[in-house]
Amino acid sequence: MLFLIHSIFITDTLKDCVIIGGGIIGLCAAYYLQKEGHNVTIIDQSSMDFGASYVNAGYITPSHIIPLAAPGVMKKGLKWMFNPSSPLFIKPRLDPDFLEWSWAFNKSCSEKNVNRSISAIKDITILGRELYSEIKLQEDFKFQLEQKGLLMICQTEKMLQKEVQVATIAKQEGLPVRELSIKELRKLEPNTQINAKGAVLYECDAHTTPQTFMEEMKAFLHSSGVKFIKNEKVQDININNERIVSVNSASQTYKADEFVLAAGSWSKLLSKKLGIKLLLEAGKGYRINSERDLGISMPAILAEAKVAITPMQGFTRFAGTMEIAGINHIINKVRVEAIAKATHKYYPNITLTDKEKNNAACGLRPVSADGMPYIGKSKKCKNLTIATGHAMLGWSMGPSTGKIVSEIISEKKPSLDLSVYHPDRRF
């Protein structure tokens, strides 16, 4: 009798869930929701085989404890505004949403924002790293997952000292990190030339090949009964008594008990229909792949240039830049060339070919005004869970965000304190 009552209770709590967005966040939310027994449908406006979840550097980085909105960043952005090859490029435009985001971002570039964000970023990225390992083991996935660490390679003494200061904060947070001399760096990476003063090694970081994980996860979810609606754009939302009743595409209506907004840079457009103001801008990043053997075995960030280099399965990826210029997928060849030039500057024996550069791709990362993700329910809609705004850490935070979304919808205690991620927070 007790077993029967428990079974009925579990059945009664199962829900029909619609996830808007099929990137890393949407897939991970679907994964954990279906594990709880919920019925899940993913709706995505694309074919779900390109974008930021496929072209990112593949890093899982507890080391990235400093949010994008940090002291001096807006000042640099203004300085670099007329330099299209700069690591951070903010294109000015007379758009009310952009201007409001810019004001809030500038306000957030403070020590206060950094101090409140450090532990929150560390906790959600460490959880993400653990969950990647757990998923791989439980589902027998084959995607690359290596914890070799991450190098921050510096060419100037000034940058090296800056990175050492961040490393000191990381040590205080309990993260394993150490400074490397140029001799130690070359010993660690002996099969390629490196032009640098030294480096900082974060031993806590891991890396993956994103495409492999995404393909395996989609196949698993499909076999587990998750429904995929591709090339279908959600155009309208029907609301009754502060609850979403259904969402409409051009041709279909989708009803559910719970909805998840994980549409990346497009989330702002849909949240407006609910009267929810998400300060969010698309941050375009680029990647170049090389299938040649370049001798690189360690993931690295070229500190001054803000370029990420990752040895992946069968190729090496060069990724970088943050271009705040609205929602578009236009490839700016100047920014692609900036990645190639920076690579050669740090690795003198590596010159990316025209063919490799011509095959560059880009993706849009949703950037909140304070550099922290939006995760949770807004007071304006009772059955919508928001999961977006992860900036450059969407890949690191994907599984942890998905798990938290499932915990919210399943009415379980969240794995982390969600106050710092609340979608209704003020700037």
Side-chain angles (χ1 to χ4, degrees):
M1 177 64 74
L2 286 176
F3 175 76
L4 179 61
I5 292 172
H6 178 69
S7 298
I8 292 173
F9 174 75
I10 292 294
T11 302
D12 287 345
T13 60
L14 298 186
K15 302 170 183 178
D16 291 328
C17 303
V18 164
I19 299 172
I20 304 171
I24 179 64
I25 306 297
L27 292 189
C28 288
Y31 175 80
Y32 287 104
L33 284 167
Q34 61 86 26
K35 286 287 184 182
E36 290 290 328
H38 302 296
N39 299 311
V40 183
T41 298
I42 298 174
I43 305 175
D44 195 279
Q45 64 183 351
S46 76
S47 54
M48 290 180 62
D49 56 8
F50 68 94
S53 294
Y54 296 84
V55 303
N56 65 83
Y59 291 160
I60 305 165
T61 49
S63 66
H64 281 34
I65 53 176
I66 307 299
L68 182 61
V73 172
M74 194 61 172
K75 185 178 179 180
K76 281 185 178 179
L78 292 173
K79 179 181 176 182
W80 287 335
M81 189 173 289
F82 301 102
N83 180 5
S85 64
S86 62
L88 171 63
F89 177 61
I90 302 175
K91 182 180 180 180
R93 56 193 191 275
L94 293 176
D95 174 78
D97 289 341
F98 168 73
L99 294 174
E100 188 173 2
W101 177 90
S102 299
W103 179 87
F105 183 81
N106 182 54
K107 186 178 177 181
S108 298
C109 290
S110 65
E111 291 289 348
K112 181 180 178 182
N113 183 51
V114 170
N115 291 337
R116 79 183 183 95
S117 302
I118 286 174
S119 292
I121 293 174
K122 181 196 71 173
D123 292 344
I124 195 170
T125 51
I126 286 178
L127 178 60
R129 186 190 65 194
E130 294 170 350
L131 293 175
Y132 271 112
S133 295
E134 188 177 284
I135 291 170
K136 183 170 185 176
L137 181 64
Q138 287 188 358
E139 314 308 341
D140 194 29
F141 283 178
K142 306 303 181 186
F143 68 92
Q144 176 196 28
L145 179 61
E146 297 183 72
Q147 190 173 331
K148 287 185 173 182
L150 177 67
L151 291 167
M152 302 296 296
I153 300 179
C154 305
Q155 288 194 322
T156 64
E157 192 64 36
K158 182 179 178 180
M159 181 57 74
L160 184 58
Q161 290 309 309
K162 183 178 178 181
E163 290 298 334
V164 169
Q165 289 175 3
V166 175
T168 300
I169 299 172
K171 284 181 182 178
Q172 293 170 352
E173 289 292 321
L175 298 177
V177 54
R178 57 192 173 96
E179 184 181 354
L180 300 179
S181 66
I182 184 59
K183 184 178 179 180
E184 291 171 317
L185 176 60
R186 287 170 177 162
K187 185 177 180 181
L188 192 64
E189 194 70 292
N191 297 319
T192 187
Q193 297 177 34
I194 299 179
N195 180 17
K197 288 283 185 182
V200 169
L201 173 61
Y202 287 94
E203 297 169 323
C204 51
D205 290 5
H207 69 283
T208 63
T209 300
Q211 178 92 20
T212 310
F213 176 85
M214 293 294 286
E215 295 300 334
E216 285 191 294
M217 180 58 83
K218 286 186 293 186
F220 174 84
L221 292 175
H222 182 75
S223 67
S224 300
V226 173
K227 298 176 183 177
F228 288 83
I229 311 296
K230 300 179 183 179
N231 300 304
E232 194 92 346
K233 185 177 182 179
V234 173
Q235 297 181 333
D236 206 0
I237 301 174
N238 304 308
I239 309 163
N240 183 34
N241 195 26
E242 296 182 336
R243 295 182 66 86
I244 299 175
V245 178
S246 61
V247 297
N248 297 338
S249 69
S251 59
Q252 295 289 330
T253 297
Y254 302 93
K255 296 181 179 181
D257 304 308
E258 293 281 343
F259 294 81
V260 178
L261 181 56
S265 298
W266 290 265
S267 299
K268 175 179 69 174
L269 306 177
L270 290 172
S271 68
K272 278 186 175 182
K273 298 179 182 294
L274 300 166
I276 300 170
K277 182 176 286 187
L278 294 181
L279 296 184
L280 203 65
E281 285 294 319
K284 189 189 298 180
Y286 295 83
R287 72 97 178 108
I288 306 169
N289 290 343
S290 176
E291 296 181 1
R292 294 175 291 146
D293 182 3
L294 302 175
I296 295 174
S297 63
M298 287 290 296
I301 290 180
L302 314 182
E304 289 87 355
K306 311 299 183 209
V307 169
I309 300 178
T310 316
M312 295 188 177
Q313 289 174 316
F315 60 94
T316 304
R317 173 162 292 175
F318 304 83
T321 84
M322 175 64 79
E323 180 183 333
I324 309 291
I327 294 179
N328 68 78
H329 284 93
I330 299 169
I331 299 291
N332 185 332
K333 292 186 177 181
V334 173
R335 302 188 70 72
V336 173
E337 190 63 40
I339 294 172
K341 286 180 178 179
T343 299
H344 182 69
K345 186 177 180 182
Y346 286 75
Y347 296 84
N349 62 326
I350 297 176
T351 300
L352 296 176
T353 67
D354 288 342
K355 181 179 180 180
E356 290 164 343
K357 289 183 286 187
N358 290 337
N359 287 329
C362 68
L364 301 178
R365 299 162 292 192
V367 183
S368 70
D370 61 357
M372 295 294 289
Y374 296 112
I375 307 173
K377 288 183 179 289
S378 169
K379 63 182 179 182
K380 294 187 178 181
C381 189
K382 297 174 182 176
N383 65 335
L384 175 70
T385 303
I386 296 170
T388 188
H390 295 72
M392 296 175 291
L393 295 176
W395 194 258
S396 293
M397 299 178 179
S400 43
T401 300
K403 184 175 178 64
I404 290 167
V405 166
S406 177
E407 290 168 342
I408 292 170
I409 290 174
S410 301
E411 299 178 30
K412 293 185 174 182
K413 182 180 178 181
S415 298
L416 301 172
D417 177 8
L418 301 185
S419 58
V420 71
Y421 315 117
H422 202 287
D424 291 338
R425 65 184 183 271
R426 299 175 69 88
F427 297 95

